[in-house]
Amino acid sequence: LVCFSKKVRYTQSAKYYFMEGYPGTPSNSLYLPQFIPLKMHCKSCALVTSSGHLLGSRQGDSIDQAECVIRMNDAPTRGYGKDVGNKTSLRVIAHSSIQRILRNRNELLNMSHGAVFIFWGPSSYMRRDGKGLVYNNLQLMNQILPQLKVYMISRHKMLQFDDLFKRETGKDRKISNTWLSTGWFTMTIALELCDRINVYGMVPPDFCRDPNHLSVPYHYYEPLGPDECTMYISHERGRKGSHHRFITEKRVFENWARTFNIHFFQPDWKPEPLSANHPEEKALA
């Protein structure tokens, strides 16, 4: 993970790190390279989940104090600023959310104020031969709003994400019918990007085992949507078709927080020290 998260190029004359594996969309300028790599670095980051745990939290001011605020998919800030903040520096977006992003472009794109957008998806969706659905939409987005900072995760980088999941969990993503979640991509990108990460709205991995756990909506902006723990458990237990392994991923994040500068708020928690009875967790960490 150390090699993965720090695999960046840096020049003393530059203010930010060049992050490998995140090419930009083709530039419209004749004087710029066609694929400009992402160049970014933050001393402190607020990684804001889309969890219903943020409702009523009043964490907005704390979130906006971070140098960089990272959000996922089409999670809005308008109308929720007191709880989730108003600032957005980076938004990590799944291929399945791109149409919602385009439909809500007045809020999520036009009002981005210099935010960076990183899109991820299967390699077939990122093809540059006219058949890549996501890539075609990103080109259209670049033409309509050329000032946007739009990037994608390269095929090679996607394979690195798969390999990291296998090393950290012992599970092959494809064999186990697993789709890595946007949260997985976002946390790992944050480790490349940020010196300190404050995560808002992420529960510990055993949270849903407690029969008295607080019931909240999966998305704070969909109060009538599915229950968060119901979603986590159904995906974790699912064997037919592809599923996210939300709880497995959170166990990995818990391990990473023992090594890296990651802190959890709303709910507030920190990983317990590892005991001698769990050597396998030590190996993962």
mmCIF file with all atom_site columns, all heavy atoms in Angstrom, residues 66-77:
data_model
loop_
_atom_site.group_PDB
_atom_site.id
_atom_site.type_symbol
_atom_site.label_atom_id
_atom_site.label_alt_id
_atom_site.label_comp_id
_atom_site.label_asym_id
_atom_site.label_entity_id
_atom_site.label_seq_id
_atom_site.pdbx_PDB_ins_code
_atom_site.Cartn_x
_atom_site.Cartn_y
_atom_site.Cartn_z
_atom_site.occupancy
_atom_site.B_iso_or_equiv
_atom_site.pdbx_formal_charge
_atom_site.auth_seq_id
_atom_site.auth_comp_id
_atom_site.auth_asym_id
_atom_site.auth_atom_id
_atom_site.pdbx_PDB_model_num
ATOM 1  N N   . ALA A 1 66 ? -10.960 21.990 6.071  1.00 0.00 ? 66 ALA A N   1
ATOM 2  C CA  . ALA A 1 66 ? -9.886  21.196 5.473  1.00 0.00 ? 66 ALA A CA  1
ATOM 3  C C   . ALA A 1 66 ? -9.382  21.879 4.213  1.00 0.00 ? 66 ALA A C   1
ATOM 4  O O   . ALA A 1 66 ? -10.122 22.569 3.510  1.00 0.00 ? 66 ALA A O   1
ATOM 5  C CB  . ALA A 1 66 ? -10.384 19.788 5.147  1.00 0.00 ? 66 ALA A CB  1
ATOM 6  N N   . GLU A 1 67 ? -8.113  21.680 3.902  1.00 0.00 ? 67 GLU A N   1
ATOM 7  C CA  . GLU A 1 67 ? -7.559  22.257 2.676  1.00 0.00 ? 67 GLU A CA  1
ATOM 8  C C   . GLU A 1 67 ? -8.285  21.718 1.451  1.00 0.00 ? 67 GLU A C   1
ATOM 9  O O   . GLU A 1 67 ? -8.593  22.459 0.516  1.00 0.00 ? 67 GLU A O   1
ATOM 10 C CB  . GLU A 1 67 ? -6.061  21.945 2.580  1.00 0.00 ? 67 GLU A CB  1
ATOM 11 C CG  . GLU A 1 67 ? -5.402  22.499 1.329  1.00 0.00 ? 67 GLU A CG  1
ATOM 12 C CD  . GLU A 1 67 ? -3.941  22.133 1.188  1.00 0.00 ? 67 GLU A CD  1
ATOM 13 O OE1 . GLU A 1 67 ? -3.382  21.501 2.113  1.00 0.00 ? 67 GLU A OE1 1
ATOM 14 O OE2 . GLU A 1 67 ? -3.342  22.485 0.157  1.00 0.00 ? 67 GLU A OE2 1
ATOM 15 N N   . CYS A 1 68 ? -8.564  20.418 1.450  1.00 0.00 ? 68 CYS A N   1
ATOM 16 C CA  . CYS A 1 68 ? -9.273  19.786 0.336  1.00 0.00 ? 68 CYS A CA  1
ATOM 17 C C   . CYS A 1 68 ? -10.455 18.982 0.869  1.00 0.00 ? 68 CYS A C   1
ATOM 18 O O   . CYS A 1 68 ? -10.327 18.266 1.870  1.00 0.00 ? 68 CYS A O   1
ATOM 19 C CB  . CYS A 1 68 ? -8.344  18.852 -0.444 1.00 0.00 ? 68 CYS A CB  1
ATOM 20 S SG  . CYS A 1 68 ? -6.952  19.681 -1.245 1.00 0.00 ? 68 CYS A SG  1
ATOM 21 N N   . VAL A 1 69 ? -11.590 19.107 0.190  1.00 0.00 ? 69 VAL A N   1
ATOM 22 C CA  . VAL A 1 69 ? -12.791 18.351 0.558  1.00 0.00 ? 69 VAL A CA  1
ATOM 23 C C   . VAL A 1 69 ? -13.118 17.401 -0.588 1.00 0.00 ? 69 VAL A C   1
ATOM 24 O O   . VAL A 1 69 ? -13.248 17.833 -1.744 1.00 0.00 ? 69 VAL A O   1
ATOM 25 C CB  . VAL A 1 69 ? -13.982 19.281 0.844  1.00 0.00 ? 69 VAL A CB  1
ATOM 26 C CG1 . VAL A 1 69 ? -15.224 18.461 1.187  1.00 0.00 ? 69 VAL A CG1 1
ATOM 27 C CG2 . VAL A 1 69 ? -13.653 20.238 1.983  1.00 0.00 ? 69 VAL A CG2 1
ATOM 28 N N   . ILE A 1 70 ? -13.233 16.116 -0.259 1.00 0.00 ? 70 ILE A N   1
ATOM 29 C CA  . ILE A 1 70 ? -13.432 15.075 -1.259 1.00 0.00 ? 70 ILE A CA  1
ATOM 30 C C   . ILE A 1 70 ? -14.842 14.508 -1.107 1.00 0.00 ? 70 ILE A C   1
ATOM 31 O O   . ILE A 1 70 ? -15.258 14.129 -0.006 1.00 0.00 ? 70 ILE A O   1
ATOM 32 C CB  . ILE A 1 70 ? -12.395 13.945 -1.086 1.00 0.00 ? 70 ILE A CB  1
ATOM 33 C CG1 . ILE A 1 70 ? -10.976 14.520 -1.140 1.00 0.00 ? 70 ILE A CG1 1
ATOM 34 C CG2 . ILE A 1 70 ? -12.588 12.872 -2.153 1.00 0.00 ? 70 ILE A CG2 1
ATOM 35 C CD1 . ILE A 1 70 ? -9.905  13.504 -0.784 1.00 0.00 ? 70 ILE A CD1 1
ATOM 36 N N   . ARG A 1 71 ? -15.570 14.442 -2.214 1.00 0.00 ? 71 ARG A N   1
ATOM 37 C CA  . ARG A 1 71 ? -16.936 13.897 -2.204 1.00 0.00 ? 71 ARG A CA  1
ATOM 38 C C   . ARG A 1 71 ? -17.058 12.797 -3.258 1.00 0.00 ? 71 ARG A C   1
ATOM 39 O O   . ARG A 1 71 ? -16.155 12.612 -4.082 1.00 0.00 ? 71 ARG A O   1
ATOM 40 C CB  . ARG A 1 71 ? -17.957 15.006 -2.468 1.00 0.00 ? 71 ARG A CB  1
ATOM 41 C CG  . ARG A 1 71 ? -17.853 16.168 -1.472 1.00 0.00 ? 71 ARG A CG  1
ATOM 42 C CD  . ARG A 1 71 ? -18.950 17.206 -1.671 1.00 0.00 ? 71 ARG A CD  1
ATOM 43 N NE  . ARG A 1 71 ? -18.666 18.382 -0.871 1.00 0.00 ? 71 ARG A NE  1
ATOM 44 C CZ  . ARG A 1 71 ? -18.978 18.516 0.416  1.00 0.00 ? 71 ARG A CZ  1
ATOM 45 N NH1 . ARG A 1 71 ? -19.607 17.529 1.038  1.00 0.00 ? 71 ARG A NH1 1
ATOM 46 N NH2 . ARG A 1 71 ? -18.680 19.613 1.085  1.00 0.00 ? 71 ARG A NH2 1
ATOM 47 N N   . MET A 1 72 ? -18.206 12.105 -3.229 1.00 0.00 ? 72 MET A N   1
ATOM 48 C CA  . MET A 1 72 ? -18.387 10.960 -4.110 1.00 0.00 ? 72 MET A CA  1
ATOM 49 C C   . MET A 1 72 ? -19.650 11.096 -4.954 1.00 0.00 ? 72 MET A C   1
ATOM 50 O O   . MET A 1 72 ? -20.672 11.601 -4.481 1.00 0.00 ? 72 MET A O   1
ATOM 51 C CB  . MET A 1 72 ? -18.461 9.671  -3.293 1.00 0.00 ? 72 MET A CB  1
ATOM 52 C CG  . MET A 1 72 ? -17.135 9.271  -2.669 1.00 0.00 ? 72 MET A CG  1
ATOM 53 S SD  . MET A 1 72 ? -17.245 7.776  -1.660 1.00 0.00 ? 72 MET A SD  1
ATOM 54 C CE  . MET A 1 72 ? -17.302 8.492  -0.029 1.00 0.00 ? 72 MET A CE  1
ATOM 55 N N   . ASN A 1 73 ? -19.537 10.641 -6.181 1.00 0.00 ? 73 ASN A N   1
ATOM 56 C CA  . ASN A 1 73 ? -20.668 10.577 -7.110 1.00 0.00 ? 73 ASN A CA  1
ATOM 57 C C   . ASN A 1 73 ? -21.443 11.890 -7.152 1.00 0.00 ? 73 ASN A C   1
ATOM 58 O O   . ASN A 1 73 ? -20.844 12.958 -7.257 1.00 0.00 ? 73 ASN A O   1
ATOM 59 C CB  . ASN A 1 73 ? -21.554 9.380  -6.756 1.00 0.00 ? 73 ASN A CB  1
ATOM 60 C CG  . ASN A 1 73 ? -20.830 8.063  -6.999 1.00 0.00 ? 73 ASN A CG  1
ATOM 61 O OD1 . ASN A 1 73 ? -20.118 7.914  -7.985 1.00 0.00 ? 73 ASN A OD1 1
ATOM 62 N ND2 . ASN A 1 73 ? -20.980 7.116  -6.099 1.00 0.00 ? 73 ASN A ND2 1
ATOM 63 N N   . ASP A 1 74 ? -22.757 11.833 -7.050 1.00 0.00 ? 74 ASP A N   1
ATOM 64 C CA  . ASP A 1 74 ? -23.570 13.036 -7.219 1.00 0.00 ? 74 ASP A CA  1
ATOM 65 C C   . ASP A 1 74 ? -24.090 13.567 -5.886 1.00 0.00 ? 74 ASP A C   1
ATOM 66 O O   . ASP A 1 74 ? -25.108 14.275 -5.849 1.00 0.00 ? 74 ASP A O   1
ATOM 67 C CB  . ASP A 1 74 ? -24.749 12.752 -8.153 1.00 0.00 ? 74 ASP A CB  1
ATOM 68 C CG  . ASP A 1 74 ? -25.610 11.588 -7.682 1.00 0.00 ? 74 ASP A CG  1
ATOM 69 O OD1 . ASP A 1 74 ? -25.054 10.630 -7.118 1.00 0.00 ? 74 ASP A OD1 1
ATOM 70 O OD2 . ASP A 1 74 ? -26.836 11.629 -7.884 1.00 0.00 ? 74 ASP A OD2 1
ATOM 71 N N   . ALA A 1 75 ? -23.397 13.250 -4.781 1.00 0.00 ? 75 ALA A N   1
ATOM 72 C CA  . ALA A 1 75 ? -23.832 13.730 -3.464 1.00 0.00 ? 75 ALA A CA  1
ATOM 73 C C   . ALA A 1 75 ? -23.850 15.256 -3.447 1.00 0.00 ? 75 ALA A C   1
ATOM 74 O O   . ALA A 1 75 ? -22.825 15.896 -3.663 1.00 0.00 ? 75 ALA A O   1
ATOM 75 C CB  . ALA A 1 75 ? -22.888 13.202 -2.385 1.00 0.00 ? 75 ALA A CB  1
ATOM 76 N N   . PRO A 1 76 ? -25.010 15.874 -3.183 1.00 0.00 ? 76 PRO A N   1
ATOM 77 C CA  . PRO A 1 76 ? -25.130 17.331 -3.263 1.00 0.00 ? 76 PRO A CA  1
ATOM 78 C C   . PRO A 1 76 ? -24.671 18.021 -1.981 1.00 0.00 ? 76 PRO A C   1
ATOM 79 O O   . PRO A 1 76 ? -24.570 17.401 -0.914 1.00 0.00 ? 76 PRO A O   1
ATOM 80 C CB  . PRO A 1 76 ? -26.634 17.542 -3.462 1.00 0.00 ? 76 PRO A CB  1
ATOM 81 C CG  . PRO A 1 76 ? -27.256 16.386 -2.718 1.00 0.00 ? 76 PRO A CG  1
ATOM 82 C CD  . PRO A 1 76 ? -26.309 15.230 -2.888 1.00 0.00 ? 76 PRO A CD  1
ATOM 83 N N   . THR A 1 77 ? -24.399 19.310 -2.103 1.00 0.00 ? 77 THR A N   1
ATOM 84 C CA  . THR A 1 77 ? -24.127 20.145 -0.926 1.00 0.00 ? 77 THR A CA  1
ATOM 85 C C   . THR A 1 77 ? -25.253 21.152 -0.709 1.00 0.00 ? 77 THR A C   1
ATOM 86 O O   . THR A 1 77 ? -25.538 21.522 0.428  1.00 0.00 ? 77 THR A O   1
ATOM 87 C CB  . THR A 1 77 ? -22.804 20.904 -1.102 1.00 0.00 ? 77 THR A CB  1
ATOM 88 O OG1 . THR A 1 77 ? -22.860 21.698 -2.295 1.00 0.00 ? 77 THR A OG1 1
ATOM 89 C CG2 . THR A 1 77 ? -21.636 19.939 -1.195 1.00 0.00 ? 77 THR A CG2 1
#
